[in-house]
Amino acid sequence: PSVGRRTLSRFLLYCVFVDRGGDDAVDEGLKGVEGAEVFVLRAAGIAAAARNHILIKDGRYLEKVSDITCVCLDKTGTLTSDTPELSDVATRAPRQNPDKIVAYAASAEIDSLHPAGKALIVAANDRSIQLFEASDIEEFPGRGVAARVEGDEILVGNRDFMTTRDVDTAYFKKRAAQFMASGKTVVYVARNGKPQGMIALENAVHPEADAVLHRLRRYGVEEIHLVSGDHDKVVTRVWE
């Protein structure tokens, strides 16, 4: 197929080479390549992508990119940073220590591979918060985690998870709405069935995300969808 036609393949090459001269350099470098050997272009594209941690199974798939009209993007790690950062801690009672809330959450998430769990552990370390020994850890994918910490049952997760465990989060409703409206993910912490606090996590949007989305549309992508397990308000804010 002609590499010089309206092509998303050029966009893929842009993604691969953008750190070597920028958008204008890529457009200039792709001029007049219609007569180049397709095999050479395939090999060069796949090799360059591999150096940037992008795995392309076969050169045929690289060429097929030009036929794409719909793209679905994951939010976390694609449009935003891989790991969120702790931005706020709200306690259930005025005299509660926010660090204790973080300690409970990070202790329960100590073995978690989820980005939110990793963020809580990093936040605890950054704040020099000593963690508790946790046992009987049970993860509930996409919802939260339950663990035994200092003899107490600690729950860490989203509102739906708390609801299934009969934990009332109504006290945090207004504050949670404010956090989510600003694009933050809310994590609740409960001890022995009682809400203790709420933690807000934030993923920074990649600075180049907007330019990449505009370039996708420029090369013929008609539909772009954002896929996420986060709350609708959080996803909407990031998409805006």
Side-chain angles (χ1 to χ4, degrees):
S2 172
V3 185
R5 66 181 177 175
R6 177 196 66 80
T7 171
L8 270 172
S9 299
R10 295 179 64 185
F11 169 72
L12 182 57
L13 291 176
Y14 159 76
C15 290
V16 173
F17 292 115
V18 68
D19 60 336
R20 302 183 185 180
D23 193 9
D24 293 339
V26 173
D27 279 340
E28 186 65 28
L30 286 172
K31 288 181 180 178
V33 297
E34 286 89 340
E37 290 290 338
V38 173
F39 175 80
V40 175
L41 292 176
R42 282 182 179 177
I46 292 174
R51 287 194 295 271
N52 286 272
H53 310 290
I54 302 171
L55 178 62
I56 301 175
K57 185 177 180 180
D58 188 283
R60 292 171 297 176
Y61 303 116
L62 183 62
E63 295 171 10
K64 284 293 185 180
V65 172
S66 62
D67 297 326
I68 293 176
T69 59
C70 177
V71 173
C72 295
L73 301 172
D74 182 42
K75 179 177 72 68
T76 305
T78 303
L79 291 186
T80 69
S81 58
D82 292 325
T83 304
E85 297 181 356
L86 189 151
S87 65
D88 304 270
V89 180
T91 61
R92 177 63 180 83
R95 294 184 179 181
Q96 277 182 299
N97 185 352
D99 285 354
K100 190 69 174 288
I101 305 302
V102 176
Y104 279 142
S107 298
E109 296 275 12
I110 193 64
D111 293 329
S112 176
L113 297 178
H114 192 279
K118 292 181 179 180
L120 292 170
I121 296 170
V122 170
N125 291 333
D126 289 345
R127 297 182 178 204
S128 300
I129 298 174
Q130 186 171 357
L131 302 186
F132 305 112
E133 184 175 347
S135 61
D136 300 331
I137 300 174
E138 186 177 5
E139 291 195 58
F140 300 85
R143 295 189 294 164
V145 61
R148 184 68 57 180
V149 177
E150 290 199 315
D152 296 319
E153 182 191 51
I154 300 298
L155 304 176
V156 183
N158 57 30
R159 187 181 63 179
D160 289 342
F161 178 57
M162 293 296 161
T163 299
T164 62
R165 305 298 287 250
D166 296 323
V167 177
D168 185 4
T169 60
Y171 176 84
F172 298 106
K173 184 176 181 179
K174 183 177 180 180
R175 193 78 184 275
Q178 293 172 342
F179 286 148
M180 289 186 289
S182 61
K184 299 177 182 180
T185 298
V186 171
V187 176
Y188 297 93
V189 181
R191 179 167 64 101
N192 296 329
K194 302 294 183 181
Q196 299 298 300
M198 177 179 64
I199 298 173
L201 302 174
E202 185 173 25
N203 288 80
V205 177
H206 287 306
E208 67 273 19
D210 190 56
V212 170
L213 293 178
H214 278 88
R215 194 168 180 85
L216 277 170
R217 294 188 177 95
R218 176 182 171 187
Y219 286 121
V221 174
E222 299 169 0
E223 298 181 37
I224 302 177
H225 300 282
L226 185 60
V227 181
S228 175
D230 259 331
H231 192 282
D232 288 348
K233 290 183 179 179
V234 176
V235 178
T236 300
R237 178 62 177 173
V238 171
W239 192 241
E240 290 174 346

